[in-house]
Amino acid sequence: MSRANPAREARHRQRQDEIIAAGRRCFRQSGFHAASMAQLAAEAQLSVGQIYRYFVSKDAIIEEMVKRIIDTRLQHIKETATADLPRLLAWRHALNEEDEALMREVAAEATRNPVVARMMAEADNRMFTQACQNVKRDHPEMSDEAIRACVEVMAVLTEGTAWRRLTPQKASADRLYTLYQQINTLLFRTED
């Protein structure tokens, strides 16, 4: 059994990173659907054939990009308490604005492409599972059913807020914070 060459693996990973970075720029500019492999190759300063050495398809590039965005979000979720949600929602905090925009592109592409729709479903499952683990950590007294319901409501609030970032906020963040705190209190109260 031969050992992998660490220098070669590092070069391979670096080239993948460069392709992902070029893909992010192309997808932000043209959308996933309209961005061509030729456009991506030009942006990465590679030939299309060279890109196919690292990714078997445009969908594979999208999948790796989504995986990286979700990995970052999962790390953030692990480090965030459920009590922090009202503040994040009220002031419309985004972990990464570019990632938010790219995930909107992914959502649009998922309506046309079943492979990307599967990626979205897998990403959602990963995020939902981690959020449930966080709620269980912060509220061990809650039943699994109650946790799933609370996480579903939190997901709707969070994802809705991500879409609302596209428009000017129409209520004061301070007032929204109070409302979100009330929702949080309702969601995470001890079950009767």
Side-chain angles (χ1 to χ4, degrees), residues 18-191:
E18 291 166 357
I19 293 167
I20 293 293
R24 288 174 65 97
R25 291 187 298 273
C26 287
F27 299 146
R28 282 283 290 130
Q29 181 179 19
S30 302
F32 290 117
H33 191 66
S36 69
M37 288 299 282
Q39 179 185 1
L40 197 146
E43 182 69 30
Q45 299 178 342
L46 298 169
S47 70
V48 171
Q50 287 174 304
I51 289 178
Y52 283 124
R53 281 194 219 159
Y54 299 95
F55 295 98
V56 298
S57 65
K58 184 165 72 168
D59 286 347
I61 296 168
I62 296 169
E63 185 168 24
E64 178 62 21
M65 189 187 68
V66 168
K67 179 192 173 299
R68 291 177 184 197
I69 291 170
I70 297 304
D71 287 348
T72 299
R73 288 181 175 185
L74 287 171
Q75 187 59 42
H76 183 257
I77 289 171
K78 287 178 186 177
E79 298 167 356
T80 303
T82 54
D84 294 337
L85 187 62
R87 180 181 47 78
L88 298 173
L89 294 172
W91 280 273
R92 292 185 173 185
H93 290 293
L95 187 59
N96 181 306
E97 290 291 341
E98 184 176 314
D99 285 355
E100 294 282 335
L102 285 166
M103 290 306 289
R104 286 190 293 272
E105 291 291 340
V106 172
E109 183 66 13
T111 66
R112 297 180 284 269
N113 182 332
V115 173
V116 177
R118 178 192 48 79
M119 288 177 211
M120 285 289 291
E122 290 172 5
D124 180 71
N125 285 335
R126 291 178 66 205
M127 300 275 291
F128 193 87
T129 298
Q130 183 60 56
C132 286
Q133 290 171 359
N134 271 33
V135 173
K136 188 68 163 176
R137 175 197 70 207
D138 295 347
H139 303 279
E141 73 285 357
M142 292 180 74
S143 71
D144 289 345
E145 181 180 351
I147 289 171
R148 284 190 302 276
C150 289
V151 169
E152 186 66 30
V153 170
M154 289 174 11
V156 168
L157 291 171
T158 304
E159 291 167 16
T161 298
W163 285 97
R164 296 292 296 160
R165 282 189 199 104
L166 297 173
T167 62
Q169 192 156 320
K170 294 172 182 61
S172 79
D174 290 327
R175 179 66 181 132
L176 290 170
Y177 178 68
T178 300
L179 291 172
Y180 286 131
Q181 282 182 308
Q182 292 169 353
I183 293 169
N184 214 43
T185 299
L186 177 65
L187 284 174
F188 300 111
R189 72 172 189 238
T190 304
E191 294 179 87

Side-chain angles (χ1 to χ4, degrees), residues 1-9:
M1 188 162 155
S2 64
R3 288 186 167 186
N5 180 332
R8 185 176 184 171
E9 286 179 8

